[in-house]
Amino acid sequence: MKKNLTKEQIVETTLKLICDKNDLRGLNLRQIARTLGCAHTNLYNYFPSYNELLWETHMAIQRIFMEMLIEKINMARKAEEKLTYFFQAFAEMYINNKGWFWLSWHEHIDESRPQKDVELLEQINQKMNQIICEIWKEIYGQSPDEEKTKRVLHNTHCYILGEISNHLLGRGLIEKEDDLIDYIEREATGMFRLCLAGSYSEESLGNRVDNYRRV
């Protein structure tokens, strides 16, 4: 039996096991314990139920995404690249980790959503809004309205979720994943830019938005 088992090891193993899965219903505590080299009853010392483990894994995915998002944006040399990389990160994260996408947005977890998961997602959403507002200001020289930014980012994210869901269900327009990532990045960036720019005059943005309409 494996000794010195930790909650972090259990979550990390769960992340690895679900990473490429399109259906998470086949996974259970016995399989996770087998991978860890311990009895499945040992996992109950850390998680009273399988659903609690799924919620903890759900939170781990959100933290990983934020780390990836910030790292990717820090690679950009220009503000325009930051905006592109922002939405590219969503597409790459979800398409390259299909099981994480299913758990994050499709899998029903029977037990009530824990408050700590709610609070974490609120913190992450606030951080994402802050990042995108800073990028917008860097590009256009003025801060966007925070509430409008929040709504536009939510709508753009819903578009991304829809594209990836269609792809994973075999109903998407683009089959090759690299091409799909590029397509989602372009569409999401353009959608966000045009929708958020609606709160400003084109003159105040130096007519840059009009240029993107013609592209």
Side-chain angles (χ1 to χ4, degrees), residues 99-111:
W100 296 2
F101 174 79
W102 286 120
L103 180 57
S104 295
W105 303 108
H106 284 277
E107 191 72 13
H108 174 70
I109 306 177
D110 288 334
E111 294 181 6

Side-chain angles (χ1 to χ4, degrees), residues 18 28 170 193 198:
I18 70 172
N28 54 47
R193 191 192 299 268

Side-chain angles (χ1 to χ4, degrees), residues 198-214:
S199 60
Y200 304 98
S201 67
E202 289 184 356
E203 182 178 359
S204 70
L205 296 179
N207 290 320
R208 298 184 196 180
V209 172
D210 189 52
N211 292 333
Y212 279 93
R213 287 198 183 99
R214 293 195 290 265

Side-chain angles (χ1 to χ4, degrees), residues 99-165:
W100 296 2
F101 174 79
W102 286 120
L103 180 57
S104 295
W105 303 108
H106 284 277
E107 191 72 13
H108 174 70
I109 306 177
D110 288 334
E111 294 181 6
S112 298
R113 184 183 180 189
Q115 183 61 29
K116 60 182 180 179
D117 185 84
V118 175
E119 293 173 356
L120 175 64
L121 266 292
E122 288 178 350
Q123 293 170 9
I124 287 176
N125 286 333
Q126 289 174 1
K127 182 62 176 178
M128 286 195 297
N129 289 333
Q130 177 187 344
I131 290 171
I132 202 75
C133 283
E134 290 172 353
I135 294 172
W136 187 269
K137 183 177 181 180
E138 190 174 347
I139 295 173
Y140 295 117
Q142 58 191 101
S143 299
D145 178 84
E146 291 185 6
E147 282 303 311
K148 185 175 180 65
T149 302
K150 182 178 180 180
R151 292 194 302 272
V152 173
L153 183 56
H154 169 78
N155 293 340
T156 307
H157 186 227
C158 287
Y159 155 73
I160 296 172
L161 297 181
E163 284 282 12
I164 296 174
S165 295

